[in-house]
Amino acid sequence: MANGNNQKRDGLRILFPTLIYEGWFPNFSSIQQQLIAFNRKLREDDRKGRKESSREYSTGFTSYFSRQDLYKLPELQSLSQFLQQSAHNYAQQHHWDTQNYAPTINSLWGNINSQYSFHPEHLHPYSHISGVFYVDTPTGSPPITFKDPRVGRWMMPPTADGARPENTFNAAVAPESGKLLMFPSWLEHGVGQNMDDMERISMSFNFEMRQKQTS
């Protein structure tokens, strides 16, 4: 007689998931004002960044065009260490080969979204992990949105009942100061227009899985 506990069950099997990592900087209040001041001074000193931002980034500022090496600065060491540990967690939870490869940061830059500025949908080529760390997010700041990457999903989609946020074409995640989001670099994402007169400050980054050096 078959054991009732071994009966096969009908259900769903999850394949090809898009995994987003969420983390929180420990005791963020202790460094928040330092990071706010750092990004504002960065904008003040970065003449090239301001010039390029005026062409490409509406009313906002980003050092993406001028300073992507902020992870090398000693005053950002604690943030860089937090990002590195989070990237290691992210890679391990993906079951990537962390015995022979290690997530290595290759860029970190600052963003200041002034009123009416926004980020159109884009992705980050030549990296494996991308993400954003929220430094200062006023109430009502627009969320980051992620676009369903499966091309076939857009061909003839059935209507969803709205019960599962994972079953949407565009998923939105609200920003919060001290929060980190990591996602695959191939995932399209964007940020809507900041309608508040208060600035939203964030820092974005990329990691690549580099082969470990053998002695």
Side-chain angles (χ1 to χ4, degrees):
M1 181 178 295
N3 188 333
N5 293 330
N6 294 327
Q7 287 182 348
K8 296 180 179 179
R9 297 181 180 180
D10 298 340
L12 296 175
R13 180 189 295 269
I14 300 175
L15 296 175
F16 314 121
T18 301
L19 305 179
I20 309 294
Y21 181 92
E22 183 174 299
W24 296 89
F25 193 100
N27 193 24
F28 177 63
S29 60
S30 65
I31 70 161
Q32 183 180 20
Q33 293 306 313
Q34 172 195 339
L35 290 178
I36 291 173
F38 172 88
N39 280 277
R40 288 180 173 159
K41 189 173 190 306
L42 175 67
R43 177 178 59 183
E44 180 182 344
D45 296 342
D46 188 0
R47 183 177 179 182
K48 179 181 178 182
R50 294 199 311 272
K51 182 178 180 180
E52 293 297 324
S53 295
S54 67
R55 296 175 181 172
E56 306 286 345
Y57 190 41
S58 182
T59 63
F61 165 80
T62 177
S63 71
Y64 175 81
F65 306 106
S66 52
R67 291 293 309 273
Q68 293 191 26
D69 62 347
L70 302 181
Y71 60 90
K72 297 178 180 179
L73 300 179
E75 57 263 47
L76 295 181
Q77 183 179 15
S78 60
L79 176 61
S80 297
Q81 290 175 344
F82 171 68
L83 296 179
Q84 183 64 56
Q85 181 59 56
S86 298
H88 179 73
N89 296 342
Y90 185 76
Q92 283 196 322
Q93 292 175 24
H94 266 83
H95 295 281
W96 292 346
D97 180 4
T98 54
Q99 294 296 317
N100 299 298
Y101 296 85
T104 305
I105 192 168
N106 59 34
S107 55
L108 173 66
W109 64 94
N111 310 295
I112 300 180
N113 279 59
S114 303
Q115 191 174 32
Y116 306 129
S117 65
F118 64 95
H119 289 284
E121 285 186 346
H122 62 286
L123 46 78
H124 296 208
Y126 311 115
S127 296
H128 295 107
I129 303 171
S130 297
V132 58
F133 179 75
Y134 295 108
V135 176
D136 193 29
T137 56
T139 302
S141 292
I144 184 172
T145 58
F146 298 101
K147 182 179 179 180
D148 191 327
R150 298 167 296 176
V151 176
R153 176 96 196 295
W154 296 79
M155 186 171 61
M156 189 177 174
T159 302
D161 63 7
R164 291 178 61 85
E166 300 89 345
N167 195 27
T168 61
F169 289 105
N170 291 280
V173 179
E176 296 180 63
S177 299
K179 181 161 75 173
L180 163 77
L181 292 176
M182 284 184 167
F183 44 85
S185 296
W186 47 255
L187 183 62
E188 282 190 87
H189 56 284
V191 181
Q193 197 170 43
N194 179 19
M195 301 306 294
D196 200 292
D197 59 359
M198 297 184 66
E199 295 178 332
R200 187 184 69 172
I201 300 175
S202 64
M203 303 190 76
S204 301
F205 54 84
N206 291 316
F207 281 80
E208 59 182 294
M209 296 296 291
R210 290 184 185 170
Q211 190 166 13
K212 294 180 178 179
Q213 298 296 322
T214 57
S215 55

